Amino acid sequence: MNAFLKLNGISSGYACVVLVFGHGLLYGMNVVKPLGLSYSISVKMVVGGTFLLAGLLTWFCMRITKNWMQGRASAFWAAVLWFPYWLLIGAVLALVLPGEDNFYAMYMLAVFLIPFYPLFTATAIGISALWHESAKKKLNRRTAGTNIP
């Protein structure tokens, strides 16, 4: 049961990465506009900030995948399970923020990201599994050197 809850937590984390990325690109200008900067600088700030934030969230999800799933093959189910969480969190955002056009954002994300995001998620989970295995090998090498009689 514990691995099931961890898997669902990881899946919701990867869904949040997609939501932050999509909403950052679609609504980021609303945040930067009041600063009074030129349009080109504002666009660079929004795109750069969105990619930076999505990258940091992905790194965080990879760390959690590494620590929680410990290289289990069942972690790859998160490449599929992020989708229901994405729909659920998007629907909650639409209820909480009724003035925004969240369904337009969800539609645009669906058209452009759904074909590629499972590959991205599977790659991130695979890197996390390799990261866990290399950490385990490094620990084994350290402990093997200290136990020599």
Side-chain angles (χ1 to χ4, degrees):
M1 184 67 169
N2 196 17
F4 176 75
L5 294 175
K6 289 178 181 180
L7 177 63
N8 284 300
I10 291 167
S11 300
S12 64
Y14 284 114
C16 286
V17 171
V18 172
L19 283 168
V20 165
F21 182 74
H23 281 78
L25 288 179
L26 289 172
Y27 302 120
M29 289 301 284
N30 296 340
V31 175
V32 179
K33 231 184 260 186
L35 296 176
L37 300 171
S38 69
Y39 181 76
S40 64
I41 291 174
S42 297
V43 168
K44 289 175 186 174
M45 284 179 61
V46 167
V47 171
T50 300
F51 274 94
L52 178 68
L53 188 59
L56 287 174
L57 286 173
T58 301
W59 176 79
F60 181 70
C61 286
M62 287 172 64
R63 292 282 299 189
I64 289 175
T65 304
K66 173 189 169 247
N67 293 332
W68 282 2
M69 298 307 285
Q70 300 173 349
R72 290 188 205 126
S74 63
F76 285 98
W77 278 102
V80 176
L81 290 176
W82 68 272
F83 187 72
Y85 284 106
W86 177 65
L87 292 175
L88 180 68
I89 296 170
V92 168
L93 279 177
L95 291 173
V96 173
L97 305 170
E100 297 291 330
D101 192 11
N102 285 317
F103 289 113
Y104 174 73
M106 296 287 285
Y107 174 74
M108 293 305 291
L109 284 172
V111 168
F112 292 112
L113 291 179
I114 287 180
F116 304 108
Y117 195 67
L119 297 173
F120 172 78
T121 306
T123 303
I125 293 167
I127 291 170
S128 297
L130 292 174
W131 194 7
H132 174 73
E133 290 300 317
S134 69
K136 194 182 342 179
K137 285 180 184 178
K138 189 182 290 185
L139 181 66
N140 287 342
R141 276 184 277 166
R142 284 184 190 159
T143 58
T146 60
N147 295 335
I148 298 174

